[in-house]
Amino acid sequence: MRKFRLSSLALLLLVLCFGKALLGQANQLPGQEGQGAISPGVSPHLLTTVAQVHALSAADAAKRLPVELHAIVIYYEPTEGQVFVQDATGGVYIVSPANPPVLKAGDAVLIRGTTKPSYSTNVTASEMRFEHRAQFPEPLPVTWREMQEKSNDCRYVSIVGKVRSATLQVAIGQYSLGGVLQRDRPLRTVAHDSSTEGQRQPYLLIDLETQGGLIRVHMEDISGIDPIRLLDSEVRVSGVAGGLFDGKFQQIGAELWVNSAQHMTVLKPPASDPTKLPLTAIDRIMTGYYAQDESQRVHVRGSLTLYQPGLQMVLETPDRQAVLVNSWEQSPLHMGQVVDVVGFPDPHQYSEVVTDGGVLPTADTQIIQPVPVLWSDALAGHYPFELVSMEGKLAAEVHEPHQDTLIIQAGPHVFSAILPRTVWNQEADEAVLPDYRAGSTVRVTGICFVHAGGPWNTERWFDVQLRSPQDVAVLVAPPWWTVRRLLYVSAALLLLMVTAFFWAVILQRKVRKQTEQIRLTMESEAARERRIAFLEKERGRVLEAINSMLNLDEVLLMILRLISTQLEGRSCWCELANGTLVGEAASPQDFDRAVRRGIYSGAGERLGSLVVSEVEAYEEQAGEALEMGASLAALAIDNRRLYETLIHRSQYDQLTNAANRFLLESRLDEALAHARRGQTRFALVYIDLDQFKQVNDFYGHRVGDLYLQQVAERFSEKLRGMDTLARVGGDEFIALIPVVRSRTELEEISQRLTRCFDAPFQIDSHTIRGSASIGYAIYPEDGITKDELKRVADSAMYAHKPHAMV
């Protein structure tokens, strides 16, 4: 008996020790050993502080660990059920329950729920209970850079900046919530009473310009705020810090959620009322543009999964991190080659993008295998710029000059697989997709491009960009016995049975006639519907062509084909006002039996005529077709003339027809970039007409203008086709010589320009003998920047300036 008691006592002690050890382990959360100890009386594994919640890894947060928080509401928007709370250890986003209580910012609440993985761990609340009214916490002052840090996510902060834009927005029911939507919270409308249900919820959207970058501010209660009066104000805004991120929780921006206008203080009003600014001409708005980019260059490495020389490439690492690189690189690279890229981050895309990339190829190769994905995961933005593979049924295919597109159905959804044709492969047969049979089950492999939009950069659609035709694999060919073919066979058998039945009766002929009439009517109606659909599609293509860079003759040919199709292939052509004939050459008989319709511009100017021949039986139909064609042709001609006029006026001097300063600057930038890349030389020749003011004073400005025109014409004749002559002042010209082999060659060019004045100028019975002072500068001997070259050339010109005689 005594032995039994001793054994029982030993067993009890062993159980107590083991239980104590288990309790000690339970009080340490994964990744939090030694911190955030749970107080006595709290059940094991229960998280009671925000710090404990945020310390979890994504894998641990997915275990739905229990949470019980005592915190203060720092942001609450009941219509969309958005809740942020904060305790002494930090802030956290709360996925509110189905019927949340009526709360206000500043309320102390008790929250019970479970963890949920996100950019930083969220809490899915099963219970939210008001405790008492509390004091609102003091905001933590932060900078733009600190807003990008994950440690400040969901905290109540304040930041100072200048209001760049302020617009009133309206939220109706379900709408994109930017970063909050990325936390996988289902969108819904929460109505607390009949007075608010279904109402539009206005809010203010502010772009706050801080030292470092822009912050998107979302303000709910905007009572007493005039958005236009906020522009250019320096303000301090207090709210909840949030991150804007893509489907892989990669942060691409920052936002601030503000309860009301009371949390914003105007530190400095705008220097002037924006509504009182003087009007700016539309063609002069760029004079107010100024941009300063202080972004730091980054250095990334990965395997090449997409390469379009001179345009873009995609790098991916074995751990599925991918980045799009915009680069002018054109060197030969191969798929899987490990390359280094140095460039700048681009915040204007959906996910990670590097722009102005410089490429450093390595000798290593690491092939990235595609990951199979579902349509829903691709649309959710989980695989931006990654090499993926997707399966589905081929619904349609479109072959265009610049790309081939496959429309693929994945379940109830569709997506596009695109093979672009660049200048490097557009002539190669291996860069063109073959024709596939509709209904085939295919697997496509390529780069997942996610397209987003709206103020919160929300995902809209995606497509898969193929690298070559080998990225398309036909898994299952469509069966021969399709539904359509079965319907055809069934219809044929039924027709045979009906015909055989009525052949035996007296009404055989009547039934056959009626059947034939019905068949003809159906075919005619179907043909008419197909014709209408075709004409609408072709008219849309014509309108697209009018607004494109397509040659005017090609656009007019499209219009003529459209008219000919409506008139069952009748011969038609276009006679332009300048005598040009577009279309089929007409015979004299066609002219005698033709219908004409004039083409008039919007100002009433006659631009030409549209002509259709042999239309006796189609007079009414021809009139409608010609009316539509004439309006399209007038629109095409007006648009093209307007475009050409605008381009010429923006690039050339209206008096001398020489290039203007803007075109010169553009070509000078190109020459400078080309010379730096190829280590070549180019030159600037500065020309100043001597005693030009005396020409104007003595003969008048009209003669002076004609003198400038003849001088520019002689200069152009002495320059090469590749050279650019630009008028940069009243009597000043600059000649850009993009290729210079030696200073002797440039001296010869200067002599040719000087000899332009050997012969006198005959203008309105006046004989004018002129001259010019010429100086030049060569890159890189005389300067390595545009300003240095201009200064050297100008100094050389003044150093040799003689006294011209008129």
Side-chain angles (χ1 to χ4, degrees):
M1 187 71 176
R2 183 179 178 185
K3 274 177 84 174
F4 176 74
R5 289 177 179 174
L6 290 174
S7 300
S8 299
L9 182 59
L11 181 61
L12 180 60
L13 290 174
L14 181 61
V15 170
L16 290 175
C17 291
F18 183 68
K20 183 177 181 181
L22 287 178
L23 183 59
Q25 292 181 357
N27 285 338
Q28 289 186 339
L29 294 174
Q32 285 187 307
E33 291 77 11
Q35 60 174 314
I38 298 177
S39 60
V42 180
S43 62
H45 299 288
L46 183 65
L47 308 176
T48 58
T49 67
V50 172
Q52 292 175 333
V53 173
H54 285 326
L56 296 175
S57 65
D60 290 330
K63 297 177 181 178
R64 300 176 61 84
L65 299 178
V67 178
E68 182 175 306
L69 299 176
H70 293 273
I72 297 175
V73 177
I74 55 176
Y75 183 86
Y76 184 48
E77 203 290 300
T79 305
E80 290 297 331
Q82 298 184 67
V83 184
F84 290 90
V85 301
Q86 181 171 313
D87 65 6
T89 65
V92 65
Y93 175 75
I94 305 298
V95 181
S96 58
N99 296 302
V102 178
L103 298 173
K104 295 186 296 184
D107 289 345
V109 294
L110 168 65
I111 297 174
R112 291 190 176 97
T114 55
T115 59
K116 180 181 181 181
S118 183
Y119 171 67
S120 57
T121 304
N122 296 339
V123 173
T124 301
S126 58
E127 178 184 358
M128 292 175 58
R129 191 171 66 197
F130 172 80
E131 290 188 317
H132 58 84
R133 188 66 180 168
Q135 184 177 0
F136 215 82
E138 288 294 325
L140 174 67
V142 294
T143 63
W144 179 87
R145 178 59 62 186
E146 290 170 339
M147 282 284 289
Q148 317 298 319
E149 297 176 1
K150 189 174 182 179
S151 59
N152 288 321
D153 188 51
C154 301
R155 292 185 68 93
Y156 187 64
V157 301
S158 68
I159 191 168
V160 175
K162 185 177 181 181
V163 177
R164 185 176 180 87
S165 70
T167 55
L168 189 63
Q169 306 287 315
V170 176
I172 310 175
Q174 298 184 356
Y175 70 105
S176 170
L177 299 176
V180 176
L181 178 59
Q182 300 292 349
R183 302 177 192 273
D184 298 328
R185 183 181 64 80
L187 293 174
R188 52 186 162 78
T189 300
V190 180
H192 297 282
D193 55 59
S194 59
S195 64
T196 62
E197 184 172 3
Q199 289 183 352
R200 296 174 177 238
Q201 303 296 324
Y203 65 94
L204 190 64
L205 200 62
I206 299 175
D207 277 340
L208 192 65
E209 183 177 344
T210 68
Q211 187 173 4
L214 289 178
I215 298 294
R216 178 63 52 84
V217 179
H218 182 289
M219 182 182 293
E220 286 300 324
D221 185 358
I222 56 174
S223 302
I225 288 186
D226 183 359
I228 207 69
R229 303 295 179 184
L230 278 180
L231 297 181
D232 297 332
S233 300
E234 183 178 341
V235 298
R236 177 186 291 110
V237 186
S238 301
V240 180
L244 290 170
F245 36 84
D246 60 17
K248 297 175 71 174
F249 295 126
Q250 299 174 139
Q251 186 166 354
I252 57 176
E255 59 187 349
L256 199 66
W257 297 85
V258 181
N259 288 287
S260 67
Q262 298 177 355
H263 295 257
M264 180 178 68
T265 303
V266 177
L267 303 178
K268 183 187 297 184
S272 60
D273 187 348
T275 63
K276 302 297 179 58
L277 290 173
L279 292 177
T280 303
I282 293 178
D283 60 350
R284 300 290 295 168
I285 59 176
M286 289 305 294
T287 59
Y289 175 75
Y290 177 77
Q292 181 177 359
D293 189 353
E294 299 181 359
S295 301
Q296 297 180 359
R297 195 181 296 275
V298 296
H299 183 186
V300 297
R301 172 177 296 174
S303 297
L304 199 64
T305 57
L306 175 69
Y307 183 40
Q308 295 177 352
L311 182 61
Q312 62 185 4
M313 62 181 65
V314 173
L315 304 183
E316 188 170 341
T317 61
D319 59 350
R320 313 308 302 184
Q321 298 296 319
V323 61
L324 174 68
V325 178
N326 295 318
S327 173
W328 298 107
E329 182 68 29
Q330 297 182 0
S331 59
L333 302 173
H334 60 82
M335 292 298 103
Q337 183 174 357
V338 178
V339 299
D340 286 3
V341 170
V342 291
F344 297 94
D346 185 356
H348 302 103
Q349 302 287 338
Y350 171 74
S351 188
E352 303 289 346
V353 175
V354 172
T355 189
D356 297 329
V359 180
L360 306 171
T362 71
D364 297 334
T365 298
Q366 189 171 38
I367 301 300
I368 301 296
Q369 298 299 327
V371 55
V373 303
L374 299 176
W375 182 92
S376 56
D377 292 333
L379 183 63
H382 295 166
Y383 303 95
F385 306 131
E386 289 191 33
L387 183 61
V388 301
S389 65
M390 298 184 68
E391 297 182 5
K393 288 188 178 296
L394 181 63
E397 56 184 338
V398 180
H399 299 283
E400 298 175 291
H402 62 283
Q403 68 180 28
D404 292 331
T405 304
L406 302 181
I407 309 300
I408 301 173
Q409 182 172 1
H413 308 287
V414 296
F415 67 94
S416 298
I418 301 172
L419 178 62
R421 302 179 192 171
T422 66
V423 295
W424 295 90
N425 66 2
Q426 62 183 356
E427 300 297 335
D429 293 337
E430 59 270 17
V432 179
L433 287 178
D435 291 329
Y436 300 100
R437 292 175 59 189
S440 301
T441 301
V442 298
R443 180 194 296 120
V444 293
T445 301
I447 305 301
C448 181
F449 278 78
V450 180
H451 303 274
W456 307 110
N457 206 36
T458 308
E459 303 87 355
R460 299 294 177 86
W461 78 92
F462 73 92
D463 51 54
V464 176
Q465 187 157 319
L466 309 175
R467 289 86 52 85
S468 69
Q470 286 69 39
D471 284 335
V472 181
V474 178
L475 303 180
V476 180
W480 189 89
W481 281 103
T482 62
V483 174
R484 177 176 295 181
R485 288 175 176 168
L486 287 174
L487 289 175
Y488 288 160
V489 172
S490 299
L493 291 175
L494 180 61
L495 181 60
L496 181 61
M497 292 173 60
V498 171
T499 303
F501 174 77
F502 282 98
W503 189 269
V505 299
I506 301 175
L507 300 178
Q508 176 184 12
R509 180 177 297 179
K510 181 179 180 180
V511 170
R512 180 182 298 174
K513 184 177 180 180
Q514 292 176 347
T515 304
E516 184 67 14
Q517 184 63 37
I518 292 173
R519 186 184 66 81
L520 292 175
T521 302
M522 293 177 62
E523 289 182 354
S524 175
E525 185 67 20
R528 188 182 68 85
E529 293 178 357
R530 288 195 300 269
R531 176 174 167 274
I532 292 174
F534 171 80
L535 292 178
E536 281 298 316
K537 179 181 178 181
E538 289 300 307
R539 184 174 182 274
R541 291 182 62 245
V542 169
L543 290 174
E544 291 178 1
I546 289 174
N547 294 315
S548 69
M549 296 296 298
L550 200 63
N551 185 274
L552 178 60
D553 286 352
E554 296 180 17
V555 176
L556 293 176
L557 285 175
M558 292 177 64
I559 297 173
L560 293 175
R561 285 195 293 270
L562 181 60
I563 297 173
S564 179
T565 302
Q566 294 184 68
L567 301 180
E568 300 183 4
R570 298 294 99 184
S571 177
C572 58
W573 62 93
C574 178
E575 299 172 352
L576 298 180
N578 59 7
T580 303
L581 184 68
V582 180
E584 300 176 359
S587 63
Q589 294 80 5
D590 291 332
F591 281 92
D592 295 336
R593 303 166 61 189
V595 174
R596 298 174 180 270
R597 180 59 54 91
I599 304 172
Y600 295 92
S601 68
E605 177 187 359
R606 184 178 180 86
L607 305 176
S609 300
L610 287 178
V611 188
V612 177
S613 65
E614 299 181 4
V615 292
E616 296 88 344
Y618 306 95
E619 285 82 5
E620 181 178 354
Q621 191 174 354
E624 296 175 356
L626 284 174
E627 184 68 28
M628 180 191 69
S631 63
L632 291 174
L635 181 60
I637 297 172
D638 277 344
N639 280 8
R640 197 53 44 90
R641 291 167 65 184
L642 178 61
Y643 175 79
E644 292 172 355
T645 300
L646 290 176
I647 289 296
H648 189 273
R649 289 186 176 181
S650 66
Q651 295 182 341
Y652 291 91
D653 178 53
Q654 300 302 303
L655 177 63
T656 63
N657 206 33
N660 60 19
R661 187 183 298 273
F662 299 107
L663 182 56
L664 174 66
E665 291 293 327
S666 175
R667 293 186 177 175
L668 184 53
D669 288 337
E670 294 175 1
L672 190 61
H674 181 269
R676 287 173 177 171
R677 288 196 305 269
Q679 297 184 354
T680 59
R681 297 192 297 179
F682 70 93
L684 285 181
V685 180
Y686 205 107
I687 310 167
D688 185 81
L689 301 184
D690 297 328
Q691 307 297 332
F692 176 73
K693 183 177 184 303
Q694 294 184 13
V695 174
N696 277 336
D697 294 343
F698 190 79
Y699 298 106
H701 286 280
R702 179 181 178 278
V703 173
D705 290 346
L706 295 175
Y707 174 65
L708 285 174
Q709 291 175 355
Q710 293 189 17
V711 168
E713 183 177 357
R714 292 189 184 184
F715 283 166
S716 298
E717 292 174 354
K718 297 301 182 180
L719 294 175
R720 300 169 299 184
M722 70 179 75
D723 302 334
T724 298
L725 176 67
R727 184 187 179 199
V728 296
D731 58 350
E732 297 175 348
F733 296 83
I734 291 181
L736 171 62
I737 314 299
V739 177
V740 175
R741 298 179 181 83
S742 65
R743 191 171 292 271
T744 302
E745 180 183 4
L746 186 58
E747 183 65 32
E748 180 185 349
I749 294 174
S750 299
Q751 290 298 324
R752 290 205 306 266
L753 295 175
T754 301
R755 286 195 295 271
C756 289
F757 298 89
D758 290 349
F761 296 86
Q762 299 296 332
I763 303 174
D764 287 351
S765 72
H766 301 294
T767 300
I768 300 176
R769 297 187 180 275
S771 64
S773 300
I774 299 178
Y776 59 80
I778 302 178
Y779 173 91
E781 291 93 327
D782 299 326
I784 59 174
T785 67
K786 298 187 295 184
D787 293 335
E788 288 177 354
L789 293 171
K790 291 178 181 178
R791 185 170 58 253
V792 170
D794 185 62
S795 298
M797 181 272 294
Y798 274 106
H800 299 88
K801 190 173 183 65
H803 295 286
M805 298 180 62
V806 179

